[in-house]
Amino acid sequence: MIKNSAPGVFEKLSDVLLDKGLIDEQTAEQIALKRLKTGQDEEEIIRTMRLVSDRELIEAKAVYLRIPFVDLEDIGFSPEALSFVPRSVAEKYRIVPYGFDSKDLVLMVAMVNPLDLETIEFIEKKSGLKVKAAMGLKKQIDFFIREKYERERGITSEVSKALSERKKDEKIVVKSKSEKVSAEAPVARIVKTILEFAIKARASDVHIEPQESSVRVRYRIDGILQEKYLLPRNVHDAVVSRIKILSGLKIDEKRVPQDGRFFFSVDDKDVDLRVSTLPITYGEKVVMRLLQKSQKVPSLPDLGLRGRALRNFMDAIERPHGIIVVCGPTGSGKTTTLYSALNIVSTSKVNVSTIEDPVEYQIDGVNQVQVNNQAGLTFATALRSFLRQDPNIIMVGEIRDTETAELAINAALTGHLVFSTLHTNDASGAPPRMIDMEVEPFLLVSSLSCVVAQRVLRRVCKDCSELVPVDDMLESTLREALGSIYDAVVDKWKKEGKEMMIPRINGCDKCNKTGYFGRIAIYEVMPITEKIGKMIIEKSPASEIQKEAMRSGMLTMKQDGYVKVLEGVTTIEEVHRVAEY
């Protein structure tokens, strides 16, 4: 993310900090007085006094000097830009080439000292390009040089080769579907490098998005999209064609969306990639979802279920019949929770069948069916077939319509255990949503045994996070949100003779400077008690159902998140990011 300088002129660096509210008038006067007495540089005084973080100081300095500031963690970089500046030059002058404008022949670089005109002039002569300098953080620049030049040598050289071949032959695409692309071709190696990084970075999705003058490659890592590459616009068609060939898609069809799949292997890891193409303004966008075939199904405690919530959920799945519904938006981990439950109940003594879209994990002993709408295999039609297959346990990937909802309820009423998912914000919203699908309330109460709602948030990186004391404002917020649970947590800290602490992120090489590594879920588990059942029959609003569930001991997702913060698992910012709805 690049921030342009604020309008106006500031006479001193401390004026910028004052304007941003980072220091007060009294502190600014202290800085001025110390500068007069010692003759020290103002920036050095501010650093010595430790008034602000390095990032805040550098951002303020950029505003003071009226030059752009670039956050290298939040932007993608152009492999082509790296090719203009050798690593030795980048290390010597502490500069990072991160972008290239092929139209105006401008090279964007981040520098510790963007006012170093001699270095800028040297880079312009060496590259033959106009240099646009921005201020960056020293720590980020050092990491970028070490990480990018080492890791990206492959894709940088292949991009250069692909562009060279493009100039020789404007059609760097395969002319027919049957024609093979050499595994040694530069474009094939670009795709290979993109996928290898995805696997090593633990990405769940890869987005390849054509833009007006470049191609943006983003990875969804721990649930957050991160821009990593900016490829030249000229290689887009070739890269998409390569992916289409691997996926068995039509290369010459660019007007309609297409779906396909292929397998990829790196370091003995087999990955199943589900590919989707979509025509957008500047060409075809490609999204690839990565599903590791060897990935083990996690246990419920590993996912984040614990305490009363875990007991209530286990009570529900140990019953021989009833419906268990898991709620949340797309990407909230609902299917993974259901797989963990199936892994517990699936034994040689029961017949388990699932209908999914798509099948994400393969579980031994479970009959897994994938939706095929074109062939007429929907959730509803599969569910009808399951009931003639002598099942004990059924999983329906999603209740989308009235027909599927009624079939699931009938299956539960006739002695089957049914698992499914629903798109609602919280647990208390599931019964009203199913009633909106024209399900009879008395049938719903008779069949529904438990509703689970969840979100997925990022874990703090254990290698670089640190614990800091809880301030008074946060303590008040936590006390109000958690009530008696807060007292129990405080007692635990007191018994251990420690001050109550919460995690603060820093960032290191392991977590790619994000401060987070891995994910965990926050849950609310609502068993259908007699009182809640009566409220469902009376068609009470979701807010009233939630209040009754909380009186019965249910933790909301936000409360569960706060507990995980106090346990040192995640941060307050993460809880607010995913649990504010």
Side-chain angles (χ1 to χ4, degrees):
M1 179 175 62
I2 299 179
K3 300 179 181 180
N4 289 323
S5 302
V9 178
F10 293 92
E11 293 184 1
K12 303 189 295 294
L13 182 56
S14 56
D15 290 342
V16 183
L17 298 177
L18 188 62
D19 183 68
K20 287 175 172 282
L22 297 172
I23 62 173
D24 54 26
E25 292 276 3
Q26 187 178 355
T27 307
E29 290 174 5
Q30 289 176 358
I31 294 170
L33 187 61
K34 197 166 186 178
R35 187 181 180 190
L36 286 172
K37 285 183 177 179
T38 64
Q40 280 183 296
D41 181 74
E42 191 179 30
E43 182 181 346
E44 188 180 345
I45 294 169
I46 294 167
R47 287 186 187 278
T48 305
M49 294 176 71
R50 296 185 178 182
L51 299 171
V52 293
S53 67
D54 283 346
R55 183 193 182 90
E56 289 168 337
L57 181 59
I58 296 301
E59 284 187 351
K61 187 177 177 182
V63 172
Y64 170 57
L65 296 174
R66 288 181 288 170
I67 55 177
F69 169 80
V70 61
D71 186 342
L72 294 173
E73 291 178 10
D74 288 349
I75 62 168
F77 83 99
S78 165
E80 196 176 3
L82 282 184
S83 65
F84 290 111
V85 180
R87 178 173 180 172
S88 57
V89 174
E91 288 176 337
K92 181 178 180 181
Y93 296 102
R94 275 231 168 88
I95 66 166
V96 163
Y98 64 87
F100 173 59
D101 184 344
S102 58
K103 184 179 178 181
D104 296 327
L105 298 178
V106 175
L107 182 68
M108 279 76 83
V109 300
M111 303 176 65
V112 174
N113 180 16
L115 298 181
D116 186 352
L117 300 181
E118 288 186 9
T119 298
I120 292 173
E121 187 179 352
F122 172 75
I123 299 299
E124 286 181 336
K125 286 182 178 178
K126 191 167 185 64
S127 64
L129 305 169
K130 183 181 178 181
V131 170
K132 184 178 180 181
M135 181 167 283
L137 291 169
K138 176 179 173 294
K139 184 169 68 172
Q140 285 187 359
I141 289 173
D142 290 342
F143 173 77
F144 197 106
I145 293 171
R146 184 175 68 252
E147 182 75 7
K148 299 297 182 184
Y149 274 95
E150 185 63 33
R151 193 181 70 204
E152 316 308 344
R153 281 181 300 181
I155 195 166
T156 302
S157 61
E158 301 311 332
V159 165
S160 299
K161 288 178 185 176
L163 287 173
S164 176
E165 290 188 10
R166 184 85 179 182
K167 290 173 184 175
K168 294 176 186 176
D169 179 6
E170 280 301 305
K171 292 195 175 179
I172 225 178
V173 295
V174 180
K175 296 177 183 177
S176 67
K177 184 178 176 181
S178 60
E179 188 176 348
K180 300 287 185 182
V181 175
S182 168
E184 296 303 314
V187 171
R189 288 198 292 268
I190 290 173
V191 173
K192 182 182 176 184
T193 302
I194 289 171
L195 295 177
E196 284 179 345
F197 178 76
I199 295 168
K200 290 174 183 176
R202 304 172 295 107
S204 60
D205 301 85
V206 181
H207 293 235
I208 300 175
E209 303 165 312
Q211 298 179 311
E212 186 176 6
S213 57
S214 63
V215 180
R216 181 169 67 171
V217 181
R218 296 192 291 173
Y219 297 84
R220 190 173 294 280
I221 302 170
D222 292 333
I224 305 294
L225 276 173
Q226 300 179 20
E227 188 176 321
K228 293 296 181 182
Y229 297 124
L230 281 174
L231 302 177
R233 185 70 178 82
N234 292 351
V235 302
H236 172 258
D237 289 346
V239 168
V240 172
S241 293
R242 173 63 182 167
I243 294 170
K244 281 185 171 182
I245 289 171
L246 293 171
S247 311
L249 302 180
K250 296 179 181 178
I251 299 171
D252 54 347
E253 181 57 83
K254 300 181 180 182
R255 299 167 299 171
V256 297
Q258 296 186 67
D259 295 305
R261 62 184 288 183
F262 68 94
F263 295 97
F264 184 77
S265 182
V266 60
D267 296 336
D268 296 325
K269 291 181 180 177
D270 294 326
V271 180
D272 182 9
L273 290 104
R274 307 297 168 92
V275 180
S276 172
T277 68
L278 180 71
I280 62 174
T281 306
Y282 296 111
E284 285 184 284
K285 175 183 176 179
V286 177
V287 175
M288 295 179 282
R289 168 152 287 190
L290 284 74
L291 302 169
Q292 291 195 22
K293 296 179 69 178
S294 59
Q295 191 167 345
K296 293 182 180 179
V297 177
S299 68
L300 292 174
D302 287 342
L303 292 177
L305 265 172
R306 59 195 64 181
R308 179 179 293 198
L310 179 58
R311 287 197 303 274
N312 288 337
F313 189 60
M314 289 299 296
D315 287 344
I317 68 175
E318 287 170 358
R319 293 176 187 171
H321 55 81
I323 297 181
I324 298 169
V325 177
V326 181
C327 305
T330 302
S332 59
K334 301 185 298 295
T335 306
T336 303
T337 297
L338 288 180
Y339 278 141
S340 298
L342 287 178
N343 208 36
I344 294 171
V345 299
S346 176
T347 68
S348 59
K349 297 179 181 180
V350 294
N351 178 19
V352 184
S353 297
T354 74
I355 174 70
E356 307 168 53
D357 185 19
V359 175
E360 295 187 18
Y361 296 88
Q362 294 178 349
I363 307 174
D364 291 337
V366 176
N367 307 297
Q368 295 172 272
V369 178
Q370 182 160 318
V371 167
N372 187 339
N373 290 317
Q374 291 180 342
L377 182 57
T378 63
F379 285 117
T381 55
L383 191 46
R384 278 201 193 87
S385 298
F386 284 173
L387 295 174
R388 295 191 291 271
Q389 289 279 318
D390 185 30
N392 298 102
I393 300 166
I394 297 170
M395 186 185 101
V396 184
E398 184 183 342
I399 295 177
R400 293 180 178 173
D401 50 42
T402 301
E403 185 182 11
T404 307
E406 288 178 345
L407 286 168
I409 284 172
N410 288 332
L413 291 173
T414 52
H416 303 90
L417 181 61
V418 180
F419 294 92
S420 192
T421 69
L422 197 64
H423 287 290
T424 62
N425 283 334
D426 51 24
S428 60
R433 176 66 60 84
M434 295 183 78
I435 291 172
D436 288 343
M437 290 181 180
E438 300 178 1
V439 173
E440 291 292 343
F442 71 92
L443 291 177
L444 183 59
V445 171
S446 301
S447 57
L448 191 62
S449 58
C450 183
V451 182
V452 179
Q454 67 179 89
R455 297 288 189 278
V456 178
L457 41 71
R458 294 178 290 175
R459 289 176 177 267
V460 295
C461 176
K462 293 180 179 178
D463 285 10
C464 64
S465 64
E466 59 178 325
L467 293 175
V468 296
V470 176
D471 60 43
D472 293 340
M473 186 180 296
L474 180 56
E475 184 177 359
S476 176
T477 302
L478 293 174
R479 186 182 297 278
E480 183 181 353
L482 295 176
S484 60
I485 305 165
Y486 180 79
D487 293 331
V489 174
V490 170
D491 287 341
K492 181 184 175 183
W493 284 95
K494 286 180 179 177
K495 285 177 182 177
E496 295 176 0
K498 298 177 182 176
E499 185 181 6
M500 192 163 58
M501 313 278 272
I502 60 170
R504 183 171 68 188
I505 61 170
N506 287 308
C508 63
D509 291 358
K510 179 183 176 182
C511 62
N512 200 26
K513 302 296 180 184
T514 62
Y516 297 98
F517 189 89
R519 295 195 286 175
I520 193 168
I522 52 176
Y523 290 92
E524 57 187 43
V525 178
M526 185 180 77
I528 306 303
T529 63
E530 187 177 338
K531 286 185 178 179
I532 290 176
K534 186 179 178 182
M535 296 176 77
I536 292 172
I537 290 174
E538 294 170 351
K539 297 186 179 180
S540 299
S543 57
E544 295 301 318
I545 294 174
Q546 184 179 55
K547 288 176 184 176
E548 174 55 35
M550 291 175 70
R551 281 193 291 270
S552 301
M554 183 190 81
L555 286 183
T556 65
M557 285 181 284
K558 196 169 185 178
Q559 288 175 324
D560 189 30
Y562 284 156
V563 171
K564 286 180 169 68
V565 170
L566 293 172
E567 289 175 348
V569 176
T570 188
T571 62
I572 286 286
E573 292 77 17
E574 271 296 285
V575 175
H576 290 168
R577 181 179 67 84
V578 303
E580 296 287 355
Y581 51 85

